[in-house]
Amino acid sequence: MTFPERPEPAIDAAERPMLEGWLDYHRETLLVKCAGLDDAQLREASVPPSAFTLLGLVQHLAEVERFWFREILAGEELPDLYSTEEDPDADFKVSETATWAETEAVWLAETAAARRSAAAFGLDDFSKGVGSAGKPFNLRWVYTHMIEEYARHNGHADLVRERVDGATGV
């Protein structure tokens, strides 16, 4: 499979467009890694005994977008999408009824909501919510963390995709 090209952020962009550009680049990379696979392939586990799947990864990143941009940054009180207090890693677990169409729709809705939340803040503005240490985060930190989160997981997605159908690249 040949993956579509994604334009990298401009090399001469100001700080905020650079951060937003790299985050969007990594968001797009995740979608590219899932492109062309059916629901069964998106459910294929990476390597036993791991249950890590591309579909579970997209669920996880939808929840991460929701947490950092809406709950922490904007201070919204929202229920978790997939995780629970009893099972904080449930976002990686795929139900038998989960489909790519619904999972992608949830992820797209959360990324759109994340962009709206971020638009209300400057890079130096602190979040309305706080993290586990009881301290707020500025938007610059949230962007940097999200870029790291996607970059790390896109590396995982590379390996899972190669295992599923042999496709490499991106």
Side-chain angles (χ1 to χ4, degrees):
M1 169 173 200
T2 302
F3 291 109
E5 288 293 317
R6 292 154 348 279
E8 290 187 6
I11 61 172
D12 58 352
E15 183 179 14
R16 185 171 185 144
M18 180 78 67
L19 292 169
E20 290 172 345
W22 277 108
L23 180 54
D24 283 340
Y25 177 84
H26 283 291
R27 286 169 171 157
E28 184 67 24
T29 298
L30 178 65
L31 287 180
V32 167
K33 284 298 174 183
C34 296
L37 298 177
D38 61 27
D39 285 353
Q41 290 171 307
L42 290 164
R43 292 170 184 285
E44 277 191 45
S46 56
V47 179
S50 175
F52 188 89
T53 67
L54 289 169
L55 199 58
L57 178 58
V58 175
Q59 289 180 168
H60 168 71
L61 288 166
E63 194 145 77
V64 169
E65 293 269 2
R66 182 183 188 101
F67 177 76
W68 282 107
F69 286 104
R70 297 178 66 193
E71 294 179 44
I72 296 295
L73 187 65
E76 294 180 46
E77 290 189 32
L78 301 167
D80 290 329
L81 292 169
Y82 306 100
S83 299
T84 64
E85 283 191 31
E86 299 78 33
D87 190 358
D89 291 327
D91 51 342
F92 283 107
K93 298 173 183 170
V94 179
S95 76
E96 290 185 23
T97 60
T99 65
W100 171 247
E102 76 178 24
T103 303
E104 181 188 32
V106 169
W107 180 82
L108 289 170
E110 289 303 329
T111 59
R115 286 183 185 96
R116 287 190 301 274
S117 292
F121 290 80
L123 290 177
D124 294 321
D125 293 343
F126 281 97
S127 61
K128 293 180 181 178
V130 297
S132 59
K135 295 184 179 184
F137 298 85
N138 68 23
L139 177 58
R140 180 182 290 103
W141 190 97
V142 173
Y143 275 144
T144 303
H145 172 69
M146 290 300 294
I147 291 166
E148 174 274 329
E149 181 87 8
Y150 272 93
R152 181 169 52 96
H153 285 313
N154 281 335
H156 300 140
D158 285 339
L159 297 172
V160 176
R161 179 62 190 252
E162 184 175 7
R163 182 188 178 296
V164 168
D165 71 350
T168 60
V170 179

